[in-house]
Amino acid sequence: MKQLILSLLLSLSILSALADRLTYSINENWNFRKEADSDWQLVNIPHSWNTIDVQDEESGYYRGMAIYQRELNLDASNSDKQIYLYFEGVNQVAELFVNGHSAGKHIGGYTRFCFDITKFLHFGKPNQLEIKVDNSHNDNIPPYSADFTFFGGIYRDVYLVVTDKVHVSLTDHASSGVYIETPRVNEQQALVKITTLVDNKSQQSTSIILETSILNQSGERVWTTRKKHALNPEEQQEVLIEAKLENPILWSFENPCLYTAKTSILDAETEKQIDEVTNNFGIRYFEFDPEKGFSLNGKPTKLIGTNRHQDFKDRANALPDEFVLRDMRLLNDMGGNFLRVSHYPQDPTVLEYCDRNGIASSVEIPIVNRIAETDEFSANCQTMMTEMVKQNFNHPSVLIWAYMNEVLLRLPYPTSDPNYPTYTSNVTTLALSLENIARNLDPQRYTMISNHGDLKRYHNARLTQIPRLVGWNLYQGWYSGRINDFESVLESIHEQLPEKALFVTEFGPGVDERIRSEQPERFDFSVEYGQLVHEFYLKTIQSKPFVSGATIWNLNDFYSESRIDATPHVNNKGIVTTDRTPKDGYWFYKASLSSEPVIFIASRGLQNRSGVANKTENHSNQSITVFSNLPHAEFFLNGKSLGNQTFTDHVAKWIVPFADGENLLEVAGLKDGKTIKDVQRINFKLLPHSLSNPEFNFEDLNVSLGGNSSFFEKDPAIVWLSDRNWEEGSWGAFGGAFYRKKTRFGSLPTSDADIMGTGDDPIYQTQRVGIEGFRADIPNGTYAVSLYFAELVSPAAKEMSVYNLGNDAVTELAEERVFSIEINNQLMVKSLNLAADYGAERAIEKKFIVRAENNQGINIHFIPEKGEAVLNAIRIARKY
Ligand code: GCB
Ligand code: CA
């Protein structure tokens, strides 16, 4: 173990500051192995063992036990200290051993915990730390199930805390030991109640002075109190003080003013300081009104922001603080004023940022989809609730404690089953117990439960009555119905529950930035369909005063093992990607919400585009969207004006005649007399109507069949044009129809299969079924013709995704499908049987070298022998 340098550092820093408490990370140099492995690996924390296996094509990821080990050296000068290990988050069960002794066990992957390890330590000698971490599924630990991935590991910071024997407690559910409440607040005066837990960990009785000061934002002391306390050996004392602050500066969105409570413990005899902690807090009052919505300090404000999941591309959930902060800045820069910290408490950095930047928030414990009807499950939920409230108690940004997300979505019994009423009554009992914990610990804040659209179900289980505020996760126009049903659903909820303040805790479409469509439709994952959803929802949310707020699902795309969308295992409802690249949705919200001037030409990622000219022109007309909060702007293509437009709800569109080669797009508008503009360079590959046009140098043609979407393959920047029928002198397919995925309520435009052997699943997830041929009237020459196939109708019944709320897939019987392929009258493949030859849902490319002669182009025929022929995509590339 390379720990010499490390132990030196530790000893030095401890020696240099004997008086106060010391807190520093011990993230570095842990030895790690999965339980069954024999080799150790040197890792740093934050760490997860699921960075790779959640991204691969194999379903599942390692859920089991792993071990972390490290040495800890504390020199002899620490022998009169108390030593703690403080964990910000370990998923999901952690047991700590110090020199072979069990020093504590924590259940739950999202709350913090702190163990006193003093009595197991040897000072002046190396100590062995070992942490056994287990992320196996456990019925008794929430979340029971959920649409996200349960990465294992010590994935947040670990700190060592060294204190005097007498100190502000660290072990009341890993809280700060100081609880600050502001139960009575107005502009003239605020009552501040501060409860402090003081621990005497020594065997001696002692006397201390507890000094509490309140500092204003400039660090000036505005209030202070000092009192002597006698402490018995091993005693914990709770001290309550009350302060009245005159003319407080309130914490608000515009001015998130923070006060600091400074708590010092002094030795009563020597008056030497032995411990000191600071806790920030804010002074504010707020209300959720069922009719008028939300107000902060009496000022009505619509809360709009996002949800957030904590994972990131290639890193699983193991993010350094800087990554967390970047997420928060994305939300803030967008103009969001609310974060739903879903579905679980997150890194402390999140709420610290919210406090400092005037972003309000709700935090919740991870009870998702369903509960387990066991005492152990309930007890774990109750502990998590207590931990969440105590650990986050002082954040002025937190307005809501939440605890149950769509808990009647995945029912263990059908509603007609005799066990169903018992189940719902167990849910009610659990909800009541959690509600009580929250209200007892913190009478000031609101409580919330989030439900999916089935109001009756939740109402009958009293989940619309128990919490002070009800959240709704609404997906009209995504999982079911039409986009504008959202409005009537909101109104009907409000009508049925007129006494209850309402929050839209989730809404959002799946969007894959690689997919574009001129005929957008539900579940095509196109940018265009997503935009329709976002525009309608935002407008509706803003126009209804009774909607106190709404949070987009989600800030970021996130991993969800069991989900198969356009990128398998990723939920793509984020407005930024898993690596935090903003999608168009992000810019739309920024233009709509930010007070900074915004003008933005959409679809920044698509520098390489392609399109087809119509018969008479040598350009391709494509619609370009601009998001802005300016009143109007002028658009230019290669310096030439395409006219002025007014923005409607922050969006305007110009039809841009793209020519082959580089196209310079510019848009400019005025804000307070200053020009604000945006520029985008696009490399355009124009296909003329006639590919054999002598002025045109045909290189290649790429078509994704079976759908109205085009697909932008990132590497090597290929645009797969959408399917079309053959036109005389041009190109296209003939015969058959687009594949549609059957569901109980109709059908969807793409397959929900994870296609093996490709990262560009959407190319294969659509298909022309019953295709008779494909023809390209291209110049004489030699070509590589690639045909792409994947059998989409799989015999294996799939586990029905829970999240296709209303989209319940219907198991399709495997069809026998055998066909032959002829190109230019030559038989190329005899009796192809995709399922039998390769298996279903596997990407197959067949490349043929073909000559086009006598101006006949390329002519492909599919000859069915059994069932219908299919084709998923085609590429024709010139060789000579
Ligand atoms: C929901 C869930 C959330 C899912 C989301 C979705 O209602 O609360 O966990 O990820 O829908 O994308 O389906
Ligand atoms: Ca952290």
Side-chain angles (χ1 to χ4, degrees), residues 88 156-157 159 319 321 347-349:
E88 288 187 345
R156 293 186 199 146
D157 295 318
Y159 287 95
L319 305 196
D321 292 348
D347 193 276
T349 316

Side-chain angles (χ1 to χ4, degrees), residues 145-266:
S145 85
D147 180 25
F148 54 92
T149 298
F150 313 107
F151 313 97
I154 305 180
Y155 70 96
R156 293 186 199 146
D157 295 318
V158 180
Y159 287 95
L160 185 78
V161 186
V162 181
T163 68
D164 194 277
K165 287 285 169 203
V166 180
H167 54 271
V168 176
S169 176
L170 283 111
T171 45
D172 184 24
H173 295 87
S175 78
S176 69
V178 178
Y179 302 98
I180 306 166
E181 285 170 280
T182 52
R184 277 209 309 279
V185 172
N186 58 39
E187 277 67 12
Q188 287 73 48
Q189 199 186 58
L191 172 65
V192 184
K193 287 167 88 175
I194 305 179
T195 305
T196 308
L197 298 181
V198 181
D199 274 340
N200 175 16
K201 291 282 183 177
S202 77
Q203 306 302 317
Q204 275 92 49
S205 25
T206 181
S207 247
I208 55 137
I209 296 167
L210 181 67
E211 182 180 292
T212 302
S213 307
I214 297 177
L215 316 181
N216 67 13
Q217 201 159 21
S218 335
E220 295 149 5
R221 189 187 290 202
V222 292
W223 187 89
T224 193
T225 181
R226 249 170 107 102
K227 206 175 159 216
K228 207 165 157 182
H229 299 269
L231 295 164
N232 293 324
E234 306 251 14
E235 189 194 348
Q236 179 173 88
Q237 240 176 58
E238 187 178 306
V239 182
L240 170 68
I241 58 152
E242 291 192 359
K244 281 197 182 119
L245 298 188
E246 305 301 323
N247 305 315
I249 301 180
L250 303 187
W251 185 91
S252 66
F253 298 113
E254 302 77 28
N255 178 22
C257 172
L258 294 176
Y259 287 84
T260 305
K262 191 178 199 178
T263 310
S264 313
I265 299 177
L266 315 178

Side-chain angles (χ1 to χ4, degrees), residues 146-148 309 340 343 368-369 405-406 409 452 473 475 479 506 508 553 558 563 571 573 803 805:
D147 180 25
F148 54 92
H309 263 303
R340 176 176 176 232
H343 289 308
V368 185
N369 290 346
N405 180 76
E406 303 183 349
L409 176 65
H452 79 276
N473 300 342
Y475 290 94
Y479 287 118
E506 289 180 25
W553 188 263
F558 58 94
R563 179 178 276 280
N571 184 319
K573 296 192 188 71
Y803 300 98
L805 307 137

Side-chain angles (χ1 to χ4, degrees), residues 341-362:
V341 182
S342 58
H343 289 308
Y344 42 78
Q346 300 185 2
D347 193 276
T349 316
V350 167
L351 294 176
E352 290 162 6
Y353 185 95
C354 288
D355 289 349
R356 294 197 308 273
N357 292 281
I359 295 175
S361 65
S362 69

